[in-house]
Amino acid sequence: MLDLGRYDEATALLARVVSADPESSRAWCLFARAHLGAERYQAAVDAANRAAAIDPGEEWPHRLASNALMHLGNHSHALRAASEARRLASSYWQTHVCVAQAALAAGQHTVAAAAAEQARRLAPNEPDVYFLSGKVALARGDLEGARWHQEQALSLDPSHSGAMNELGRIRLRRHDTAGAIRHFINAARTTPAEHIYSRNIDVVILRTVSRIIYFFVLIALLLLWVPAVMHSSTFPFALGFGLLAAGTLASFAVVMARLPAEARSLVLRTLRTRRVAVALAFAVGGVAAAFSAVMFVPPAQLPQTLPVAIILTLAARVAASARLRTPSR
């Protein structure tokens, strides 16, 4: 049941097992694993601690407790539990991976790197040790090392969705949006049940939309000063606004052209959501109102109108960004 992801059924069955045999450390460990799968992390900690009390020399309860404590945000206790697991079974590569994971969550990158290196020595053919080493390298800012480790993980296990996802994160750090989305799509396709991969795609799309809005508003702010500085007529000003709109659409079209077909459909789906539609309306509407305020006033009133237009433009940017940060429902 645990391997099939039927955690609630497994929990119900194991509750009866530990009730019938409360001194079975392995049963309590399985009980903790079932709670972990069902995202009942405090219950997982309690079950793991019960197993550790029954068999103090067994490392598995400490690894399970460390995993659950990380999900609870208690990173210092997670690292302590992982270190105890490693002390009890230093020849198991899994205990070194556990220490590296907890140390990474606690921000102790040097400790994490040392533990990941030891795990690689013990298990040079395990894809998970390279996957974790890549995560540590990325946290330390070593993009090339992170990429190499994730590619090693994929060479050992071509279906390792975690490594695919990490390659997407590395691409993001290199500002390669299209490449990042490709990796996230591959990860989501390989492991559909892991929702974080599809959420990463949405995050990339929203970040791209936010960046486009940022540059759109920034250029609009610069253009607003044109009539005041150059004392030009409204026609060049209107032409500048048109070119800004056309340039923004063209940059978006270039981004879309670089994406695979599957990603384009995801982008269009995200653009149709209420959150993004309202954010775009704030940005375009605010900038259009600011341009109109400057374009249709007499030149003598421009010094009084220009600050209002600038405030309108900045408010449009703030409102659009706030809307994009609002969680979707």
Side-chain angles (χ1 to χ4, degrees):
M1 289 183 186
L2 291 174
D3 291 338
L4 295 174
R6 293 158 59 182
Y7 300 115
D8 289 332
E9 295 176 53
T11 302
L13 176 60
L14 287 164
R16 294 195 293 271
V17 173
V18 297
S19 178
D21 187 6
E23 296 305 312
S24 171
S25 174
R26 180 171 178 77
W28 281 105
C29 284
L30 291 171
F31 201 27
R33 186 183 167 197
H35 282 306
L36 269 173
E39 300 181 358
R40 293 186 289 267
Y41 301 120
Q42 187 55 56
V45 172
D46 296 339
N49 287 341
R50 183 68 180 271
I54 295 169
D55 189 355
E58 175 61 46
E59 56 81 27
W60 192 20
H62 300 286
R63 280 198 290 126
L64 290 167
S66 178
N67 194 337
L69 287 164
M70 278 193 292
H71 282 96
L72 290 171
N74 194 342
H75 302 312
S76 60
H77 284 79
L79 182 55
R80 188 180 308 165
S83 299
E84 179 63 12
R86 181 173 63 179
R87 185 188 70 80
L88 292 169
S90 59
S91 62
Y92 290 7
W93 64 268
Q94 294 92 334
T95 63
H96 295 277
V97 164
C98 188
V99 170
Q101 288 174 327
L104 187 59
Q108 298 188 29
H109 297 160
T110 302
V111 175
E117 183 179 357
Q118 182 61 25
R120 292 198 308 275
R121 288 198 194 102
L122 292 170
N125 295 319
E126 282 290 338
D128 282 346
V129 302
Y130 292 99
F131 165 66
L132 181 60
S133 296
K135 292 186 71 172
V136 174
L138 183 60
R140 302 180 82 182
D142 180 8
L143 300 186
E144 187 57 34
R147 181 192 62 78
W148 184 86
H149 281 112
Q150 299 304 344
E151 288 180 350
Q152 284 295 111
L154 282 174
S155 69
L156 293 167
D157 178 8
S159 64
H160 199 298
S161 56
M164 298 175 195
N165 183 69
E166 287 300 306
L167 286 171
R169 292 181 62 211
I170 294 165
R171 292 277 188 173
L172 270 187
R173 290 281 192 93
R174 289 175 166 164
H175 308 290
D176 181 3
T177 302
I181 289 181
R182 287 191 186 95
H183 286 300
F184 291 147
I185 286 176
N186 288 336
R189 189 185 294 133
T190 304
T191 313
E194 192 64 58
H195 299 301
I196 190 172
Y197 301 149
S198 57
R199 285 199 299 270
N200 282 343
I201 298 171
D202 288 336
V203 168
V204 176
I205 295 171
L206 291 174
R207 185 180 298 182
T208 303
V209 171
S210 180
R211 189 176 294 124
I212 289 174
I213 289 175
Y214 171 79
F215 285 110
F216 176 73
V217 172
L218 178 64
I219 297 172
L221 278 172
L222 295 175
L223 287 175
L224 284 173
W225 289 90
V226 170
V229 174
M230 301 184 64
H231 306 288
S232 62
S233 63
T234 58
F235 175 73
F237 187 58
L239 181 61
F241 180 71
L243 290 174
L244 171 60
T248 303
L249 291 173
S251 64
F252 178 72
V254 169
V255 171
M256 289 287 283
R258 294 182 60 203
L259 297 176
E262 186 176 354
R264 289 178 205 146
S265 64
L266 293 172
V267 171
L268 294 176
R269 182 204 65 189
T270 302
L271 291 178
R272 286 194 293 267
T273 61
R274 181 178 177 81
R275 173 169 53 168
V276 176
V278 171
L280 291 173
F282 278 145
V284 175
V287 169
F291 268 66
S292 299
V294 171
M295 190 181 304
F296 297 113
V297 298
Q301 296 180 15
L302 194 56
Q304 292 79 31
T305 307
L306 184 59
V308 176
I310 291 173
I311 291 172
L312 274 174
T313 307
L314 292 175
R317 163 62 181 165
V318 171
S321 297
R323 186 61 188 172
L324 286 176
R325 286 194 295 269
T326 302
S328 58
R329 298 179 181 178

